[in-house]
Amino acid sequence: MKVLVTGAAGFIGSNLVYHLLESRPSWKITALDLLTYAGNIENIAGLINDRRIEFIKCDIADPATVNELFAEKGFDLVFHLAAESHVDRSIHSAAEFIKTNVVGTQVLLDAALSSKVSRFVHISTDEVYGSLGPTGYFYETTLLDPTSPYAASKAASDLIVLAYFKTHGLETVVTRCTNNYGPYQFPEKLIPLFVTNALEDKPLPLYGDGLNVRSWIYVRDHCEALLCAAEKGVAGEVYNIGGTSDGEVNNRVVTAAILEILKKPETLIKPVKDRPAHDRRYAVDSSKINGIGWKAGILFREGLEKTIKWYVDNRSWWQSIKTGAYLEYYERNYGAR
Ligand code: NAD
Ligand code: TYD
């Protein structure tokens, strides 16, 4: 089986590459990534001598290079994860989100169609559904109502992917997952940002009242769900992916747990001005993917402890990121709050 993973040097992409090599050892994997600020070749450096994997640096929004690659390799299966993925950055500037998430997805779909890819798994997010009140869940049939430019660009790409199934018969599957956490997550997202700031005794900038709820899933559970959707999902369908029920918690609870595990004081918490259009709550109903044989297995506390240990043990990984352009972004996003 010849498999393409886009965004393979990012957080979920790199975890997926390790998972596929472990669980499907005969597969040949092409790991594609542009290595933007969020992509880090170090994430998959441990595989450099593994002959089952090849790394290609490529922009998914560049049709000439992408078409040539697909024609040459003849992929059977594509896991499409490459994206601009951070809500706060999409608020500062949306252009790259449209280029990569929307145009880049269309370029990949055209290449998949003309090279006769058998299955195209598009990795999306529950953020396309917008925001929930205190109760209820997002279902695959829930109306799309994205609020951030990031979520809107993902919703647009989801619809294009589904249209390629309806119009051209390309075997696509769309997955919509809740918030991931785990090793190799770029320290701009809540959990790795707060863990690394706490390790440096720096303030933890908690947006608004800190009562926004996310439904956290350990990244390895998400990777297992993606493999299940690829192998057992029905073409043209959407599958929600959510974590264990104890992972549905507000940001104050996540922050308190991080500080408790690291034995750091609550005085590090710094309430700051809220994010515009900050979605109040996300939570998905995962029964559809449960029905094809996948279920989240890692409890939030267990996953959080593992994740924190990873950041404690891999200080040089995140310390080398938190320099230069990262600090400029940090000042732009947090300086005036
Ligand atoms: P990430 O930002 O860590 O990784 C994205 C990767 O895509 C990076 O390695 C980056 O270099 C690469 N990339 C960006 N633009 C590219 C381009 N034009 N061409 C090729 N590569 C490019 O993101 P992530 O958290 O690993 O998310 C991966 C996917 O999963 C995204 O599509 C995201 O929308 C989706 N998702 C993420 C979460 C989450 O909680 N992180 C939840 C649900 C869905
Ligand atoms: P984030 O990790 O950016 O994921 P998303 O916005 O895609 O859900 O944020 C998770 C939650 O944490 C969200 O409610 C916003 C909040 N948050 C903060 O309070 N402070 C921060 O510095 C960040 C990055 C997020």
Side-chain angles (χ1 to χ4, degrees), residues 5-10 31-36 38-40 55-59 82:
V5 178
T6 74
L32 179 156
D33 203 290
L34 182 58
L35 301 181
T36 66
N40 187 345
F55 177 75
I56 307 259
K57 185 174 175 191
C58 169
D59 183 351

Side-chain angles (χ1 to χ4, degrees), residues 198-243:
L199 284 168
E200 297 183 301
D201 296 309
K202 289 187 177 153
L204 313 188
L206 190 61
Y207 294 163
D209 62 8
L211 294 177
N212 302 67
V213 173
R214 297 293 182 263
S215 169
W216 296 95
I217 180 170
Y218 191 67
V219 64
R220 182 50 78 111
D221 272 340
H222 184 194
C223 293
E224 284 175 5
L226 294 179
L227 187 52
C228 173
E231 293 183 332
K232 300 188 199 150
V234 175
E237 294 291 320
V238 175
Y239 294 89
N240 286 343
I241 302 170

Side-chain angles (χ1 to χ4, degrees), residues 3 29 62 72 74 83 91 93 126 128 130 138 140 144 150-151 158 176 190 192 199 208 237 255 298 315 334 336:
V3 180
I29 295 176
D62 169 5
E72 183 198 327
I91 294 169
S93 170
D126 62 348
V128 298
F138 295 130
E140 287 82 356
L144 303 192
Y150 160 68
D158 286 17
R176 295 188 181 136
L190 179 75
L199 284 168
E237 294 291 320
T255 307
I298 300 183
R315 272 179 185 264
Y334 296 99

